[in-house]
Amino acid sequence: MSNTASSKPIRLGIVGLSTGGWAANAHVPALAHRSLSSTFTLTALQTSSETSAAAAKETLSKSWPSVDGGEVKAYHGRDATDITNDPNVDVIVVSVKAPDHKAILDKAVAAGKHIFSEYPPGKTLAESEQIRADVMRNGNIQFQVGLQATHSALLRKVKKIIDYGKIGKILSSTFVANVPRELRYYQPEANDANLYSLDKTNGATLLKIPTAHKLSAFIYLLGPFATVSATGSRQYPTIDIYSAQDPTKLLRTIKSNALDHFTFTGALKSGAHASITWRSGYMSTPGRKNLLWIIDGEEGSVTFEADDGDIGGKVLGTLDQTKVSVNGKPVDEYMKDEGIEWVDDPALVVEEHEKGTFFESIRREWVEFGKSLRGGHGEFVSLDDAIEVQRVVDAVERSVELGGLGINLI
């Protein structure tokens, strides 16, 4: 019997689990928590080199020891054939750069493994649709995509308020965001560790990563887009590349081949009007909003706002630390005044220092995935959900290329 259908821990094989990467810094602290130790265990990992694989294995043996005392298998290299075919792995976790996702996912699907993949599944919409076609042919694969914003407690509270009809019919929503210059992720300054994200052919640009993560939250709350019309511009024709090791050291200047400003508008399937603007490169100066999201209903409004630039939280992955108000009141105060009870899942255990961080959202996504893998119902971002986000991103790109021509999505 598969571990996913028994009481034994679900066995994970994580591709991209180096000691300093996203998987180690975000997923491991969430998964290694005592509340999930009987649900998930690590049985295999893979990194690019033998040295980094051995180092990750040694580190994890202390921070995330196996519940049954079994040894973690350490694979290395770019070919994921061995880890995806490992009989002691139930779920393949793909936590590498976007251009490398599909090659690993293809092997995982062929091996019939359940999958957790960081977003995007494929670096293009066409790649993701091909992955979905292959998954559908198998029929038994559970597939979660890491769009953590939808697992934000704040977002789920707002959804409850909207679903209760507290602000009435949603008529419009305006979203404006900036990836601050000082973070050095995109134009006009970046560090050399993020070079791959600056090339639009790699599927990790401002539009395809930060925008998509927040777009998933937008669609989760307000529903899918029916139409999209977009404009874009390149305000910064060059990008200064700095050393990640020495932030004061300018290494070189390169030409930019991706947009750094764009706006897209459209009608949602519900009929509401939507307007989204993303920018890269503004410093986090006093009074500047790095995120401002307003949802207007006939009887009230919701506002999300963030002044600083936490790329892991407010700007990219989650919304937990963002200030949220409903009709001018902090969301928790509003819910209390309105008698709306918020009780989180008892299976989700969050330490005090983790509240309001992306660890809370990431642990929630694993709690939900665990339910589904055990044969229950978990609420998480599916491959279909991720492709819905990519469809909008793809429509934005096509509309910009066509001079703002409207693109129909239904």
Side-chain angles (χ1 to χ4, degrees), residues 117-363:
S117 174
E118 296 295 358
Y119 181 88
K123 67 178 182 178
T124 64
L125 175 61
E127 281 193 359
S128 294
E129 288 179 333
Q130 181 59 59
I131 292 166
R132 177 166 62 182
D134 293 339
V135 169
M136 290 177 68
R137 274 192 290 272
N138 179 286
N140 297 312
I141 294 174
Q142 303 261 16
F143 199 128
Q144 178 174 197
V145 179
L147 285 166
Q148 291 84 14
T150 62
H151 291 277
S152 160
L154 285 177
L155 196 75
R156 293 186 173 218
K157 289 175 183 179
V158 171
K159 184 169 177 57
K160 192 168 188 177
I161 290 167
I162 291 174
D163 289 348
Y164 274 23
K166 289 293 184 179
I167 64 170
K169 180 183 178 182
I170 306 301
L171 300 179
S172 67
S173 185
T174 301
F175 187 109
V176 181
N178 168 51
V179 177
R181 182 181 301 190
E182 64 268 21
L183 295 178
R184 290 185 173 170
Y185 268 77
Y186 295 104
Q187 303 90 327
E189 295 179 7
N191 69 51
D192 57 345
N194 298 324
L195 271 175
Y196 89 102
S197 66
L198 304 176
D199 185 345
K200 64 181 182 182
T201 63
N202 286 330
T205 60
L206 171 69
L207 173 61
K208 293 196 171 183
I209 298 296
T211 304
H213 273 268
K214 287 298 186 284
L215 184 58
S216 71
F218 193 99
I219 293 173
Y220 175 76
L221 278 189
L222 304 177
F225 278 74
T227 64
V228 167
S229 179
T231 58
S233 66
R234 188 176 293 111
Q235 297 295 326
Y236 302 109
T238 61
I239 308 170
D240 291 335
I241 306 300
Y242 288 84
S243 167
Q245 303 302 317
D246 180 3
T248 65
K249 186 177 181 180
L250 176 64
L251 300 176
R252 60 190 181 279
T253 299
I254 65 172
K255 289 185 177 180
S256 172
N257 72 354
L259 300 178
D260 48 60
H261 284 61
F262 52 87
T263 297
F264 58 97
T265 62
L268 301 183
K269 192 174 180 180
S270 67
H273 180 83
S275 175
I276 297 178
T277 298
W278 271 86
R279 309 147 309 158
S280 173
Y282 302 168
M283 294 291 289
S284 294
T285 53
R288 191 193 305 281
K289 298 293 181 187
N290 280 322
L291 186 151
L292 179 61
W293 180 11
I294 301 170
I295 301 170
D296 279 309
E298 284 187 305
E299 300 170 24
S301 63
V302 178
T303 302
F304 296 77
E305 53 188 320
D307 296 324
D308 59 356
D310 173 11
I311 193 70
K314 302 175 186 69
V315 178
L316 177 57
T318 71
L319 286 159
D320 290 289
Q321 298 171 6
T322 306
K323 178 183 176 182
V324 180
S325 59
V326 184
N327 293 347
K329 293 182 181 180
V331 64
D332 288 331
E333 180 183 333
Y334 176 86
M335 293 181 76
K336 182 178 180 181
D337 290 347
E338 292 292 318
I340 302 173
E341 187 178 14
W342 172 259
V343 179
D344 216 334
D345 190 330
L348 177 67
V349 180
V350 182
E351 304 299 337
E352 193 62 35
H353 69 277
E354 296 173 322
K355 292 179 179 178
T357 71
F358 61 79
F359 295 118
E360 180 176 354
S361 293
I362 291 172
R363 187 167 299 139

Side-chain angles (χ1 to χ4, degrees), residues 62-119:
K62 301 180 179 69
S63 63
W64 190 11
S66 171
V67 292
D68 58 6
E71 185 177 1
V72 174
K73 180 70 176 179
Y75 298 98
H76 65 275
R78 294 180 63 86
D79 187 338
T81 301
D82 290 340
I83 191 170
T84 53
N85 286 327
D86 190 326
N88 293 314
V89 170
D90 302 309
V91 180
I92 292 292
V93 180
V94 180
S95 185
V96 296
K97 292 177 179 179
D100 300 325
H101 286 185
K102 188 173 185 295
I104 301 166
L105 291 172
D106 285 347
K107 291 183 181 296
V109 172
K113 303 295 186 181
H114 301 301
I115 294 167
F116 176 100
S117 174
E118 296 295 358
Y119 181 88

